[in-house]
Amino acid sequence: PCSQPYIEEKPLFQQLKEEVSLCALPTSWQSDWKSRLQQDKILARQSKQETLDLIRSQIESFETKLNLLLDGYLDATIEPDTYKTKKNQLFQEKLKLEGQISKTENEGCSWFEPFSKFVDTAIQGQKIARKDSADDEFHSFVQNIGSNFFLKDKKLQITLRKPFASLRAKAGARTAMAK
């Protein structure tokens, strides 16, 4: 049994709409965030390519060293034990670099996609907060912004997810400054 007093659906929905509104990206910020997001996307791609180029040049350097080592071994200027030890060291380093290439190509800008989704969701928040009923889009947005919804003394309490908690804190600061 719940120890909290009963609250009607309409006031609860109003509190939920207020939370949604506070977790939405302010309209005045939207175009700036979208353009910065595009700039970050371009910079992230460039950074990824630069990293890949650097790693590939390091691999070429190791291949050159391996070839020189093999030439020295074939010319009998390097002893077999020294050759094997050095060859294994160079191969291990080369394998590490190839692993870094694979990781960079697969993950690349792993932060970008979730951040882009956050911005798009936060932009939709203003529109969703104006709704008069809790439809699927409203429910989906509420699930995206937080979890652990509780009532305490007829007040809604939500544990917000990190990016939305930051927007909520900024909204609180904007509201305080406006007074």
Side-chain angles (χ1 to χ4, degrees), residues 13 16-17 20-21 24 120-142 144:
F13 182 67
L16 198 53
K17 280 177 54 170
V20 166
S21 176
D120 290 340
T121 302
I123 286 172
Q124 290 298 316
Q126 292 293 341
K127 181 182 92 172
I128 291 170
R130 287 187 228 111
K131 290 185 177 254
D132 292 328
S133 63
D135 61 5
D136 289 340
E137 189 177 31
F138 188 87
H139 285 282
S140 176
F141 186 84
V142 169
N144 280 331

Side-chain angles (χ1 to χ4, degrees), residues 73-138:
Y73 174 70
L74 293 175
D75 292 341
T77 56
I78 298 175
E79 293 183 26
D81 290 339
T82 306
Y83 169 74
K84 288 178 186 176
T85 304
K86 271 304 213 187
K87 182 184 89 164
N88 286 338
Q89 288 175 346
L90 291 171
F91 265 130
Q92 289 300 319
E93 292 297 321
K94 182 181 170 190
L95 285 174
K96 284 181 188 176
L97 291 172
E98 288 173 346
Q100 286 179 351
I101 284 180
S102 177
K103 184 178 178 181
T104 303
E105 285 176 338
N106 291 336
E107 292 177 9
C109 309
S110 58
W111 63 271
F112 184 77
E113 193 63 39
F115 184 69
S116 178
K117 184 179 178 185
F118 158 69
V119 170
D120 290 340
T121 302
I123 286 172
Q124 290 298 316
Q126 292 293 341
K127 181 182 92 172
I128 291 170
R130 287 187 228 111
K131 290 185 177 254
D132 292 328
S133 63
D135 61 5
D136 289 340
E137 189 177 31
F138 188 87

Side-chain angles (χ1 to χ4, degrees), residues 28-106:
S28 61
W29 294 6
Q30 291 177 8
S31 62
D32 187 42
W33 277 49
K34 278 291 194 181
S35 67
R36 286 178 188 232
L37 189 62
Q38 289 301 354
Q39 291 171 355
D40 284 349
K41 185 177 186 179
I42 291 167
L43 290 173
R45 284 184 185 156
Q46 289 172 347
S47 174
K48 177 182 172 180
Q49 191 57 49
E50 289 171 3
T51 301
L52 287 172
D53 291 344
L54 177 67
I55 295 171
R56 286 184 179 119
S57 71
Q58 289 173 339
I59 287 175
E60 286 178 24
S61 172
F62 279 108
E63 287 174 351
T64 302
K65 289 177 184 178
L66 281 167
N67 286 335
L68 289 172
L69 186 65
L70 179 61
D71 289 345
Y73 174 70
L74 293 175
D75 292 341
T77 56
I78 298 175
E79 293 183 26
D81 290 339
T82 306
Y83 169 74
K84 288 178 186 176
T85 304
K86 271 304 213 187
K87 182 184 89 164
N88 286 338
Q89 288 175 346
L90 291 171
F91 265 130
Q92 289 300 319
E93 292 297 321
K94 182 181 170 190
L95 285 174
K96 284 181 188 176
L97 291 172
E98 288 173 346
Q100 286 179 351
I101 284 180
S102 177
K103 184 178 178 181
T104 303
E105 285 176 338
N106 291 336

Side-chain angles (χ1 to χ4, degrees), residues 142-154:
V142 169
Q143 288 174 345
N144 280 331
I145 67 169
S147 61
N148 297 333
F149 295 81
F150 293 102
L151 285 175
K152 184 168 182 165
D153 299 325
K154 295 189 176 189

